Amino acid sequence: MEPVEINAGAWYLRALRADDRVDDRPALADLGEHRADYVSQANAQWTAETLFTWAVCEPTTGELLAEVTLDPTTRAIETRTRPGHEQAAQTGAEAVARFAEAML
């Protein structure tokens, strides 16, 4: 499956990125994620349909505020949040739950 973007009102959810336009790796480091291949691994998991990962972003800057994952087999949803952005993670998790209900 190709990554799916989700509009969640005050925030939007998109696939993780590390390219010449957007680099989520510094924000992921704030979440404790330091693996160099994490973004490429997350994108490969989308393709393999083994784990879906979204960056919950501030819409005007695209800055990653939180991360939401969905296991398509178990429908388990997990979040990681940068300090002060708990509401973004909660809203993102709710949007992903609606996605799971509609698409899985």
Side-chain angles (χ1 to χ4, degrees), residues 60-99:
T60 59
T61 65
E63 177 185 9
L64 182 150
L65 306 176
E67 176 189 60
V68 178
T69 61
L70 168 65
D71 181 320
T73 303
T74 65
R75 294 190 182 191
I77 296 171
E78 295 186 18
T79 63
R80 293 195 288 182
T81 307
R82 292 176 70 191
H85 298 290
E86 292 76 15
Q87 185 59 51
Q90 178 64 35
T91 301
E94 291 167 359
V96 167
R98 289 189 299 274
F99 166 83

Side-chain angles (χ1 to χ4, degrees), residues 13-90:
L13 286 68
R14 59 165 171 76
L16 297 176
R17 293 182 55 183
D19 56 39
D20 59 340
R21 296 185 66 209
V22 177
D23 189 350
D24 291 324
R25 292 175 296 184
L28 287 166
D30 288 347
L31 300 176
E33 185 56 63
H34 300 284
R35 289 178 284 170
D37 66 341
Y38 184 73
V39 173
S40 60
Q41 179 183 13
N43 290 323
Q45 290 169 321
W46 266 100
T47 302
E49 297 186 17
T50 56
L51 187 70
F52 303 145
T53 304
W54 286 270
V56 182
C57 300
E58 201 285 324
T60 59
T61 65
E63 177 185 9
L64 182 150
L65 306 176
E67 176 189 60
V68 178
T69 61
L70 168 65
D71 181 320
T73 303
T74 65
R75 294 190 182 191
I77 296 171
E78 295 186 18
T79 63
R80 293 195 288 182
T81 307
R82 292 176 70 191
H85 298 290
E86 292 76 15
Q87 185 59 51
Q90 178 64 35

